[in-house]
């Protein structure tokens, strides 16, 4: 998948977590990420997309990402936003890093982003 598709998949997963948790920290991040606000599909806050690109660079220098690389980039993105802005709740990072985490929702988000 492309870097942008991985960003959309990440947005979809985090929006789903926000809808379930109503986490204020997650609301700020999801709002800034929104790739559907502008007609060109760019994030509402361009700096947030730059943060995404930097997170991808931590994982790979390729333009195409595997599902695993995209997931790792999402974790890097969340960790960065938790450290820098407290926009990503630690409980979410912990849950996504658990060995028992069921990635079926992530795979649904990827399928959506790739349409």
């Amino acid at each position: 998948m492309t870097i942008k598709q991985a960003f959309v998949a990440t947005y979809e997963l985090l929006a789903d977590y926000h809808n379930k948790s109503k986490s204020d920290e997650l609301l700020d991040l999801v709002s800034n990420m929104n790739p559907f606000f502008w007609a060109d599909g760019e994030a509402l806050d361009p700096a947030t997309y730059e943060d995404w690109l930097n997170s991808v660079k931590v994982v790979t220098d390729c333009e195409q990402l595997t599902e695993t690389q995209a997931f790792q980039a999402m974790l890097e993105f969340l960790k960065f936003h938790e450290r820098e802005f407290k926009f990503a709740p630690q409980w979410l990072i912990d849950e996504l890093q658990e060995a028992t985490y069921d990635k079926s929702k992530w795979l649904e988000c990827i399928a959506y982003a790739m349409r």
Side-chain angles (χ1 to χ4, degrees):
M1 80 189 75
T2 67
I3 292 170
K4 187 154 191 168
Q5 288 170 326
F7 180 77
V8 171
T10 296
Y11 169 80
E12 288 295 322
L13 184 70
L14 298 182
D16 185 65
Y17 268 99
H18 172 260
N19 288 336
K20 291 176 183 171
S21 71
K22 304 301 183 208
S23 164
D24 288 339
E25 303 101 336
L26 208 46
L27 174 61
D28 291 335
L29 182 57
V30 169
S31 296
N32 289 339
M33 288 179 74
N34 190 340
F36 304 113
F37 188 81
W38 304 114
D40 64 3
E42 294 299 318
L44 181 62
D45 178 1
T48 302
Y49 191 72
E50 288 299 316
D51 296 340
W52 170 253
L53 294 175
N54 290 332
S55 297
V56 169
K57 287 178 187 173
V58 170
V59 175
T60 183
D61 59 357
C62 297
E63 293 294 318
Q64 294 288 318
L65 283 72
T66 66
E67 293 167 358
T68 300
Q69 289 170 326
F71 191 83
Q72 290 302 317
M74 176 179 56
L75 287 173
E76 290 297 327
F77 181 75
L78 288 169
K79 290 174 187 178
F80 171 79
H81 278 270
E82 170 57 21
R83 269 190 324 271
E84 296 298 317
F85 311 113
K86 301 296 182 211
F87 278 2
Q90 188 61 49
W91 62 263
L92 176 57
I93 296 167
D94 293 343
E95 182 174 324
L96 293 171
Q97 292 184 113
E98 287 179 12
T100 57
Y101 174 69
D102 176 11
K103 291 188 179 174
S104 59
K105 181 64 179 174
W106 173 241
L107 297 176
E108 287 175 28
C109 293
I110 288 173
Y112 172 81
M114 293 181 70
R115 283 190 226 141

